[in-house]
Amino acid sequence: MKKTFEYDVVILGGGLAGIYTALNLNKNLKIAILVKDKIEKGSSNLAQGGIAAEVEFDPDKIEEHYEDTLKAGSYLNDKAATRVLVEEAGYNIKNLISLGVNFDRDSNGELVKTLEGAHRSRRILHAGGDATGAKVMADLRATLAKQENITVYEDEMAFEIIKKNKKAIGLIAINQANEPVYFFCQKIVIATGGVGGIYKNSTNEKFAVGDGIALAYRAGINISNMEFVQFHPTGLYEEEKQGQRFLISEAVRGEGAILKNIEGERFMAKYDKERMELAPRDVVSQAIYREMFDTWSDHVYLDITSKSKEFLMKRFPTIYEKCLSIGVDMSKDLIPVAPIEHFLCGGIKTDCNGHTNLENVYAVGECASTGVHGANRLASNSLLECVVFGNRIAEDIKRSDLTIPDVEPKKHTVTHKMFSFHPIRSEIRDVMDKYVGIVRSEEGLEIAKKIIGRHFKNLSKTLVHSHYYYETLNMATTAMMIIEAAIKRKESVGCHYRVN
Ligand SMILES: Cc1cc2nc3c(=O)[nH]c(=O)nc-3n(C[C@H](O)[C@H](O)[C@H](O)COP(=O)(O)OP(=O)(O)OC[C@H]3O[C@@H](n4cnc5c(N)ncnc54)[C@H](O)[C@@H]3O)c2cc1C
């Protein structure tokens, strides 16, 4: 029997972008949140460093946040969206607190702020020391659980938008039993997160493969800035480990850690004399890449031995524990690190209210391209983007005249086969790591296009109705979009570095 549901608003994604949008919508709306895996999974739960915001509403400080964001983004940012981001930061932090989020405070009850790369002042709020995402999300989920108008569907992967008269009227998801589930609704909010799972190594979970971006693309929605894939300079290096990798937060450098190559030489002065280890991520990742190349090595070191064990255990409890588990006591030992895929600056193109070019569809969070990150994201601006634009979408929906769509599930006839598509996934990840990483060349990108283009073509031709199939198709689609955008942009800018 066909499973069909009707909602006012369906939100794809239960990360910060999705949940925060849902919590800001009117309580009289019937809302569904679909998540591909369990709701506790996803990048928002992994965030360590914090959320950037000028909470004192000081215009000069807000202007500095604006300028730092543009500078980190190589001035390719959308200026209007960036203004919205920094100016509405303070309001949304207050709103998060009123929704139950507990940020770290000092003994006087004042919010504690830290520093990260390319921020000129301490403006990063955090929670649980270095467990910001886990704490913020747990607090928000507790609030969500009390909302009777919001239903969460776990293990439901959306794969297609249903359109009528050039408007979106619903979507189709696939459940764990590989059955199609139809959701008809008045508004869809895509908040499906990043793309790290299309790389062999990433800080993201493997299931983060750009599903929302791929399904938007199939629905004719505009996608932009896909070449700007950010590599975090300091993923924890573990020799044999592949897949999802642990991150050593930028806040560790914010608290004084320095980078050394395997010969023990501090090297950042060669690349950015002024900002050193606190240069933007693109500069630091490319510097580390160069040092690794010159020393025939696959990692460098982060040195925070200048700080006491007591300080580190209190300020970075998660990172301290993780390092210890692999035999590294960060108060005494150097931490081996290497750059790793981390964040997508581009995605589904939106305006400042989260609208896409398809009526009734919004996008928010890492899958969206609001333009605030330009060619490279400023640290801790992505959680901020989730809340600022999530709130704007909620406000926009409140202003909309909601009309009930014409419910008419279309017939979905496709083959059922339990292929794992493993060889294709594995090849996509290898190719993305090898040719579409920190350093890119015309030749490498063309090789990647040929290999992944072939998979994309074959997968598009052979429709198989299964979770694995759609995920693999989405991987190929997202990868193709990144490669094509990277081929088009000939110059090096931000996190897109071309050697030829
Ligand atoms: C290790 C790590 C540390 C980070 N630290 C920071 C930090 O300190 N500060 C900062 O600002 N940013 C940080 N980031 C980046 C930031 O966490 C993310 O950009 C942000 O949380 C993205 O939120 P989101 O809601 O867009 O996506 P996510 O939190 O990733 O959520 C995506 C959701 O979409 C769902 N989904 C995916 N596909 C589908 C589908 N087809 N159908 C239905 N549901 C789907 C998933 O199940 C999930 O619920 C960090 C990222 C990582 C990985």
Side-chain angles (χ1 to χ4, degrees), residues 331-343:
S331 67
K332 292 201 292 245
D333 305 320
L334 302 184
I335 311 167
V337 291
I340 185 162
E341 193 288 338
H342 183 57
F343 180 83

Side-chain angles (χ1 to χ4, degrees), residues 98-110:
S98 71
L99 287 169
V101 171
N102 292 297
F103 288 107
D104 291 340
R105 292 177 184 269
D106 62 17
S107 51
N108 298 320
E110 297 296 326

Side-chain angles (χ1 to χ4, degrees), residues 345-362:
C345 301
I348 304 166
K349 191 160 174 43
T350 70
D351 66 13
C352 286
N353 287 319
H355 287 283
T356 68
N357 60 309
L358 177 60
E359 202 168 320
N360 296 335
V361 180
Y362 297 85

Side-chain angles (χ1 to χ4, degrees), residues 364-377:
V364 62
E366 191 167 336
C367 69
S369 179
T370 55
V372 297
H373 306 302
N376 172 58
R377 168 174 71 103

Side-chain angles (χ1 to χ4, degrees), residues 12-18 34-39 41-52 116 132 156-159 191-194 203-204 207 211-212 215 245 247 249 281 342-343 364-367 377 379-384 386 474:
L12 308 182
L16 182 60
L34 269 58
V35 296
K36 185 178 179 181
D37 203 280
K38 300 294 171 218
I39 196 151
K41 299 267 186 170
S43 292
S44 299
N45 300 285
L46 300 170
Q48 296 178 340
I51 176 160
E116 288 188 334
T132 303
E156 300 259 351
M157 174 189 170
F159 66 89
T192 48
T203 58
N204 300 183
F207 68 75
D211 281 345
L215 79 86
R245 302 265 287 265
L247 181 73
S249 167
R281 286 183 182 170
H342 183 57
F343 180 83
V364 62
E366 191 167 336
C367 69
R377 168 174 71 103
S380 285
N381 263 356
S382 60
L383 294 179
L384 181 61
C386 291
N474 292 343

